[in-house]
Amino acid sequence: VCMNGLTEKQVRNPEDVLALVREGERSRSTGTTSANASSSRSHSVFQITLTSPNGGPPRRISLIDLAGSERGADTANACRKTKQEGAEINK
């Protein structure tokens, strides 16, 4: 699977990981709907690959947050932009 816009960064400690998580949170797009006060309007993939200094096989942890896909009826009070985003997510 190929996804546009992905980046890969090397980290050395837990603080580096948390800094990347915060960076990702700042770039996320959210919108308010009647179903959810902070509905995610974008997908997010955060994958950590752990390597062993002893040369063992790498281990991966994947955290994936898919954009909200509220039904039109659930977004009755949402602005036009949020409704359009919801329609695009549901395609």
Side-chain angles (χ1 to χ4, degrees):
V1 175
C2 182
M3 298 175 73
N4 292 331
L6 294 182
T7 59
E8 185 174 320
K9 299 189 179 181
Q10 188 172 20
V11 296
R12 301 261 180 224
N13 54 54
E15 291 78 19
D16 290 349
V17 174
L18 290 174
L20 289 175
V21 169
R22 287 186 193 103
E23 181 183 329
E25 286 176 342
R26 284 191 301 272
S27 66
R28 299 288 309 275
S29 176
T30 60
T32 301
T33 69
S34 57
N36 190 342
S38 183
S39 179
S40 166
R41 311 319 292 163
S42 59
H43 301 314
S44 176
V45 177
F46 191 82
Q47 186 174 66
I48 302 169
T49 302
L50 303 171
T51 57
S52 170
N54 300 329
R59 306 288 187 211
R60 288 189 179 83
I61 301 169
S62 298
L63 306 173
I64 301 168
D65 182 16
L66 299 178
S69 60
E70 293 90 352
R71 298 173 303 143
D74 294 334
T75 59
N77 297 328
C79 70
R80 183 171 189 252
K81 180 182 176 211
T82 301
K83 287 181 181 181
Q84 286 177 326
E85 289 170 344
E88 287 298 315
I89 291 166
N90 287 326
K91 281 186 176 180

